[in-house]
Amino acid sequence: MGDVKFEKLLQPGYIGKVKTRNRMVKTGAGTFMWHEDETHMNKAILAYYESLARGGVGLLIVESPTIDYPAGARWRPRYRIDDDKYIKGLSELAAIIHKYGCPTFMQMNHDGPWQSNPVNDPDPPFKGPPIAASTVVLKNENDFHNEKPHELTIPEIEAIIDKFADAAARAQKAGFDGVDINAASSHLLHNFLSPFWNRRKDAYGGNNENRARFVTSIIKEIKNRLGQDFPVSVCINSIEIGRIADISDSKCLTVDDARRTARILQEAGANAIHVRSHWLGYHVGAYLPDLLFYPDPIVPLKDFPKEYNAGQRGVGANINLAAGIKELVSIPIMVVGKLDPELGEKVLREGKADFIAMTRRLQADPELPNKVMAGRLEDIAPCTACENCLGSRRCRINAFMGKEYNTIEKAGKKKSVVVVGGGPAGMEAARVAALRGHDVTLYEEGKRLGGLLPIAAVVKGTKQEDLPSMINYLQRQITRLGVKINLETRADAVSIEAGKPDAVIIATGGVPTVPQIKGINLPNVVSGAKLHKSLKKYLRYLGPNLLRQLTKFYLPVGKRVVIIGGSLHGCELGEFLAKRGRKVTIVEKSPTLGQGMVDVIQAYLFMWFRKKGVTMISGVREYVEITEKGLTIINKEGEKETIKADTIIPALPLTPNTELYESLKGKVPELYAIGDCQEPLLIADAISKGMETARAI
């Protein structure tokens, strides 16, 4: 029996003749876990989609395989469907989804107008020139349209229509229940729908009907070949916003244009409309709307279009836009944009949409629909919007993503397992070990669980990445599973040996690295150890959000700050200090800054740094000396340079804390090191290693 709180969300729905299990839809966002040479499903992709189908989602839309090779693709890690030889592989995928009673659509897309090398791939599949409605170029560092495209001829358009229909026929043969046409983002089909991109004077340009002709022709051809009952949904931009690219919104796809287009698509036979939005020159921020507010809103909140819901920093961004389209069509409307079950239910009850589309929340917890149905909201793993799923094909909280397996099985033999360290690695290891049926005890010398996550939350804030939700989730899980949690307890080799555990997992983290630089102990240097100790002290009484707010009024650092270390932690610290009025310089020995950051987040942050006057110096040959005046370096040109500073803060990767691990070698039957005490990396690495280690015990 479903939770009545989610009566609308849990109701079945229809898209054409296809009945969905509920109103939650997994969108066709890409994972890039394939390779173009594959003709069968690899184990990782099968495990990924199986977990989603098993998790209870209402409709699962599979990401776009390449329908037109190579012109339709910009990256090689994608499956293909431009030949019948790929049908067998897709049938394997459809079969594993159907195994759990989940309907599935296959999305179809064409990258057409994107430049041939959008992310510096040394060997892109398509060498260009791009293909488009018209020869329009948008020179912008955050866009994919920096090359002049070839304007498609009518015979070339008709050939691509045929390729879409061929792909749909192969999807049907593979067992898919319908197809989803991606005419959103800035892909080829949107390129025709938009008056900014489409300047044609023939039957495919001019008014709304002509600009929509490419998409309507695809819909009609699919229906002609596969039957009128074969469902076709279409993903469109409900608005195209040009203001941050210095282009008038009136020259782009307006709200009225999108609404008229939706009616035209319905008349052509579309069975559902999937609503998104798009910002020219800010590609990723258009489909991950929270990134439009990182590190600051791209335009002042008052300057966002009135139809765009900007008040919640991307949460529910497209709701009002979807509602406007729903007023004009009778077919179902899907809406996407950082939605959760509670907001989804509200949208459905208010009649603003018919289906709630999600990706990141379902990647974080594929079991989300089942947990909603069972009323177990507190057991849903939170998405912290870290965007690792975009940049590294994995999830911070769901360590199964990208793996060839997706279950935690009971252990053959129950063991006594000790976990030392209550950070993310230790808590995840304790959770998984308990799920395996082991008797688990966790020791944490601090007053609370979370390791360095609360400190990271002070620096990062919680509006973009909600790290406290991760701490709370993991703590709830290990408590519910009966893990014996011992806070303010320093475990040592003697006490652990005395307990005679079968396995010991050391997750004691790392210690701040002290660089060997002359003058490192001067008063103008704020050491990492001192900073961590100070923050932990205040966090005992203040939560991360309140402490972060208070730092806007007082910080024990001068006006000019040099940060030694330009990886993820140094860059995030630079953002934190710049937002508090400090003049920041970041120095790094590596050739580039931002190691460990997701590519798009790094790009947006560095663009913001340039606007805010943050100085970034990479390729430093030597840190020579710290004096009361600042830091002297040998720069990449081999010249000595002194950077004036009132305060210098080392922000180098942690040094593994291996003392306890070394003291236990040979003294317990099984001994493991995980997280920063093994190798200081990222939160996603810590969670992954915790899961993998505990799953093997």
Side-chain angles (χ1 to χ4, degrees):
M1 186 72 177
D3 190 332
V4 293
K5 179 182 176 183
F6 298 100
E7 179 183 1
K8 294 289 186 183
L9 192 68
L10 296 176
Q11 282 180 353
Y14 281 90
I15 297 177
K17 68 172 185 178
V18 170
K19 183 179 180 180
T20 68
R21 297 191 288 187
N22 51 60
R23 300 303 176 103
M24 288 173 274
V25 176
K26 164 65 176 70
T27 71
T31 61
F32 295 103
M33 286 195 282
W34 277 296
H35 188 272
E36 62 180 17
D37 291 338
E38 292 178 303
T39 56
H40 291 273
M41 293 296 109
N42 62 62
K43 291 181 179 179
I45 207 73
L46 284 175
Y48 170 71
Y49 277 104
E50 181 182 35
S51 67
L52 290 164
R54 188 178 60 222
V57 71
L59 171 67
L60 205 169
I61 302 177
V62 170
E63 62 205 82
S64 305
T66 300
I67 67 154
D68 181 14
Y69 186 86
R74 293 300 177 274
W75 293 278
R76 296 192 184 279
R78 286 169 65 179
Y79 199 74
R80 288 170 58 179
I81 195 171
D82 56 302
D83 190 281
D84 286 352
K85 68 182 180 181
Y86 301 106
I87 295 174
K88 182 65 172 68
L90 283 172
S91 70
E92 296 163 1
L93 185 54
I96 204 163
I97 295 169
H98 284 152
K99 174 183 174 182
Y100 296 92
C102 181
T104 180
F105 284 12
M106 187 194 78
Q107 189 176 89
M108 300 188 295
N109 163 58
H110 198 298
D111 290 340
W114 289 10
Q115 62 209 55
S116 61
N117 193 355
V119 290
N120 300 316
D121 187 330
D123 184 29
F126 185 59
K127 306 300 190 285
I131 57 178
S134 306
T135 56
V136 179
V137 180
L138 181 65
K139 293 287 186 181
N140 185 289
E141 63 180 310
N142 286 307
D143 204 82
F144 292 157
H145 300 270
N146 293 302
E147 290 180 38
K148 183 179 179 180
H150 160 69
E151 181 175 309
L152 286 170
T153 65
I154 288 179
E156 288 170 334
I157 293 170
E158 291 171 345
I160 294 173
I161 292 168
D162 200 50
K163 290 176 181 179
F164 270 98
D166 285 344
R170 293 182 183 115
Q172 186 188 51
K173 289 177 182 177
F176 284 87
D177 303 291
V179 291
D180 180 60
I181 299 171
N182 189 342
S185 185
S186 60
H187 301 303
L188 180 63
L189 298 182
H190 169 74
N191 188 267
F192 272 75
L193 293 174
S194 164
F196 172 75
W197 299 106
N198 186 344
R199 316 286 175 84
R200 301 175 73 98
K201 305 298 183 184
D202 59 17
Y204 289 91
N207 57 34
N208 286 102
E209 288 76 12
N210 284 355
R211 293 199 307 272
R213 192 179 304 279
F214 200 168
V215 186
T216 57
S217 297
I218 293 169
I219 296 168
K220 291 174 182 177
E221 185 62 20
I222 291 171
K223 296 283 187 175
N224 287 338
R225 292 198 200 180
L226 307 184
Q228 296 302 309
D229 287 341
F230 188 74
V232 177
S233 62
V234 185
C235 183
I236 64 170
N237 297 317
S238 54
I239 188 173
E240 183 179 42
I241 305 161
R243 59 191 64 184
I244 60 171
D246 295 323
I247 296 162
S248 171
D249 293 348
S250 63
K251 295 181 179 178
C252 303
L253 183 86
T254 66
V255 169
D256 288 340
D257 286 329
R259 291 175 180 178
R260 282 194 290 268
T261 298
R263 291 197 65 163
I264 293 166
L265 299 179
Q266 175 179 276
E267 291 165 5
N271 299 104
I273 301 290
H274 180 178
V275 176
R276 285 177 40 176
S277 53
H278 186 67
W279 293 69
L280 288 180
Y282 232 76
H283 173 74
V284 174
Y287 65 87
L288 300 179
D290 40 299
L291 287 183
L292 294 168
F293 302 85
Y294 173 81
D296 281 325
I298 50 175
V299 295
L301 291 179
K302 65 180 179 62
D303 292 335
F304 276 74
K306 67 181 188 300
E307 300 91 350
Y308 191 92
N309 183 17
Q312 300 301 314
R313 298 178 64 93
V315 176
N318 302 315
I319 291 171
N320 295 333
L321 292 158
I325 290 177
K326 183 168 171 56
E327 290 175 357
L328 297 179
V329 299
S330 59
I331 56 177
I333 297 296
M334 302 183 208
V335 63
V336 69
K338 210 175 184 189
L339 300 167
D340 61 21
E342 290 88 350
L343 182 54
E345 177 72 15
K346 183 173 184 289
V347 168
L348 295 173
R349 290 192 181 210
E350 292 175 352
K352 293 181 176 179
D354 302 287
F355 291 91
I356 304 303
M358 297 182 252
T359 292
R360 288 176 290 175
R361 290 193 189 278
L362 290 169
Q363 289 174 330
D365 194 341
E367 290 287 327
L368 180 150
N370 284 341
K371 290 175 182 178
V372 170
M373 192 174 301
R376 295 170 49 213
L377 300 189
E378 72 282 355
D379 290 331
I380 296 174
C383 170
T384 59
C386 65
E387 322 307 7
N388 272 278
C389 51
L390 175 70
S392 58
R393 307 165 188 76
R394 59 181 182 166
C395 175
R396 175 185 274 171
I397 190 70
N398 175 16
F400 284 126
M401 187 173 172
K403 301 289 196 301
E404 294 186 351
Y405 50 84
N406 57 30
T407 58
I408 297 169
E409 309 294 344
K410 289 289 185 182
K413 176 185 176 184
K414 184 175 182 177
K415 295 182 179 180
S416 169
V417 178
V418 167
V419 179
V420 184
M427 284 195 286
E428 175 69 357
R431 184 184 77 88
V432 174
L435 285 170
R436 297 262 292 152
H438 298 309
D439 183 5
V440 184
T441 302
L442 184 147
Y443 294 99
E444 165 56 47
E445 65 177 349
K447 291 179 179 292
R448 63 189 65 190
L449 297 172
L452 293 178
L453 291 186
I455 293 175
V458 174
V459 176
K460 290 172 177 284
T462 59
K463 290 182 179 178
Q464 178 63 28
E465 295 185 39
D466 188 5
L467 293 180
S469 68
M470 175 182 284
I471 301 170
N472 295 337
Y473 163 75
L474 289 170
Q475 184 167 349
R476 279 195 306 271
Q477 296 309 299
I478 60 176
T479 300
R480 182 176 65 81
L481 289 165
V483 172
K484 293 179 281 294
I485 302 168
N486 298 280
L487 299 177
E488 297 184 84
T489 305
R490 184 178 178 84
D492 57 25
V494 174
S495 63
I496 291 173
E497 277 189 271
K500 301 187 184 308
D502 298 305
V504 178
I505 301 173
I506 305 299
T508 47
V511 295
T513 300
V514 180
Q516 300 303 304
I517 306 172
K518 183 180 179 182
I520 192 66
N521 295 315
L522 286 175
N524 60 341
V525 178
V526 177
S527 72
K530 182 179 177 182
L531 187 62
H532 286 182
K533 184 177 180 180
S534 177
L535 286 171
K536 283 182 177 179
K537 175 184 174 183
Y538 288 113
L539 281 167
R540 291 179 190 174
Y541 313 103
L542 307 169
N545 280 324
L546 180 55
L547 182 55
R548 180 177 168 87
Q549 284 297 111
L550 292 174
T551 62
K552 293 180 179 179
F553 303 101
Y554 173 73
L555 268 179
V557 299
K559 289 293 183 185
R560 299 172 299 177
V561 181
V562 169
I563 297 171
I564 300 175
S567 63
L568 179 145
H569 305 97
C571 288
E572 289 181 339
L573 180 59
E575 176 201 343
F576 174 81
L577 293 171
K579 285 183 174 178
R580 283 147 185 80
R582 272 41 177 199
K583 180 174 174 54
V584 177
T585 300
I586 305 173
V587 295
E588 168 61 48
K589 285 189 173 182
S590 298
T592 58
L593 274 69
Q595 293 93 332
M597 298 187 77
V598 174
D599 288 347
V600 67
I601 292 179
Q602 181 196 90
Y604 288 0
L605 179 61
F606 286 7
M607 184 171 66
W608 185 85
F609 276 167
R610 290 189 286 272
K611 288 180 182 177
K612 296 296 181 180
V614 173
T615 302
M616 297 176 281
I617 302 174
S618 60
V620 173
R621 295 189 184 183
E622 182 183 351
Y623 302 128
V624 178
E625 182 181 10
I626 296 171
T627 67
E628 68 277 0
K629 293 182 179 179
L631 172 67
T632 300
I633 64 170
I634 303 295
N635 62 28
K636 61 183 174 184
E637 287 79 23
E639 300 169 349
K640 185 177 284 189
E641 176 184 353
T642 297
I643 306 164
K644 293 181 180 180
D646 305 306
T647 305
I648 294 163
I649 306 177
L652 298 166
L654 296 172
T655 297
N657 178 9
T658 60
E659 182 181 352
L660 181 58
Y661 177 79
E662 294 295 333
S663 70
L664 282 168
K665 278 185 174 179
K667 297 179 180 179
V668 293
E670 296 178 50
L671 180 64
Y672 308 92
I674 63 173
D676 287 344
C677 82
Q678 181 196 36
E679 182 181 8
L681 292 169
L682 304 175
I683 298 169
D685 298 294
I687 293 282
S688 180
K689 192 64 178 178
M691 183 277 288
E692 290 173 356
T693 300
R695 191 174 179 270
I697 293 175

